[in-house]
Each structure stands twice: as C-alpha cells, then as structure tokens.
C-alpha cells in the first residue's frame, strides 16, 4: 500500500489508461499497475535528479529515493 493516496490514485489512473489502450485484457491488472508505478517512479526520480542539478554520479540515488517514497 502506498503512503500517499494522491500518488496511489494517479498510479491507478495511469494503469487504467494503459489497460484501456490495450483493450482491457483479462488478468493483466497487476502488470498494468506495476508498469504505471514504474512510470511514476521514473518521473519522480527524474524530477528530483534535475532539481539536484543533474549530477551524473547520483542518478541511482534518486531512483532509490523515489522507490522508497512510493513504498
């Protein structure tokens, strides 16, 4: 369960959109949710990395922090 309900709702909306684009295939809800979560994690990490001045040696730290923020 995600701590931030607004982020959780955005992930659900993104997962629904991705599923809708593929015609809502049966039994794939978790795959779409995980894909949507990764998309949001990637965006959070990228935004944080840019805000930090885009240091070449710290991008992985931003990815890990974004993952922790979503857990």
């Amino acid at each position: 369960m995600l701590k931030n309900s607004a982020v959780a709702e955005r992930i659900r909306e993104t997962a629904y959109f991705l599923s809708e684009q593929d015609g809502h295939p049966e039994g794939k809800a978790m795959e779409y949710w995980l894909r949507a979560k990764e998309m949001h994690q990637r965006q959070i990490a990228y935004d944080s990395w840019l805000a930090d001045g885009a240091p070449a040696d710290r991008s992985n730290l931003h990815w890990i922090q974004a993952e922790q923020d979503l857990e």
Side-chain angles (χ1 to χ4, degrees):
M1 188 64 141
L2 299 176
K3 290 186 262 184
N4 186 329
S5 61
V7 172
E9 181 60 28
R10 287 196 310 264
I11 291 171
R12 280 191 293 275
E13 289 170 356
T14 301
Y16 182 84
F17 173 79
L18 293 171
S19 175
E20 187 176 53
Q21 294 298 306
D22 289 345
H24 294 295
E26 289 289 320
K28 302 272 185 177
M30 182 57 84
E31 285 181 39
Y32 287 108
W33 190 88
L34 290 171
R35 216 165 101 197
K37 181 182 176 197
E38 183 178 340
M39 291 170 69
H40 284 274
Q41 180 180 348
R42 188 177 312 278
Q43 188 63 51
I44 291 167
Y46 181 70
D47 290 347
S48 176
W49 179 71
L50 286 178
D52 195 25
D57 61 336
R58 297 194 49 199
S59 62
N60 199 34
L61 294 175
H62 293 282
W63 177 259
I64 293 167
Q65 183 61 48
E67 183 176 33
Q68 290 172 352
D69 290 347
L70 288 178
E71 295 299 322

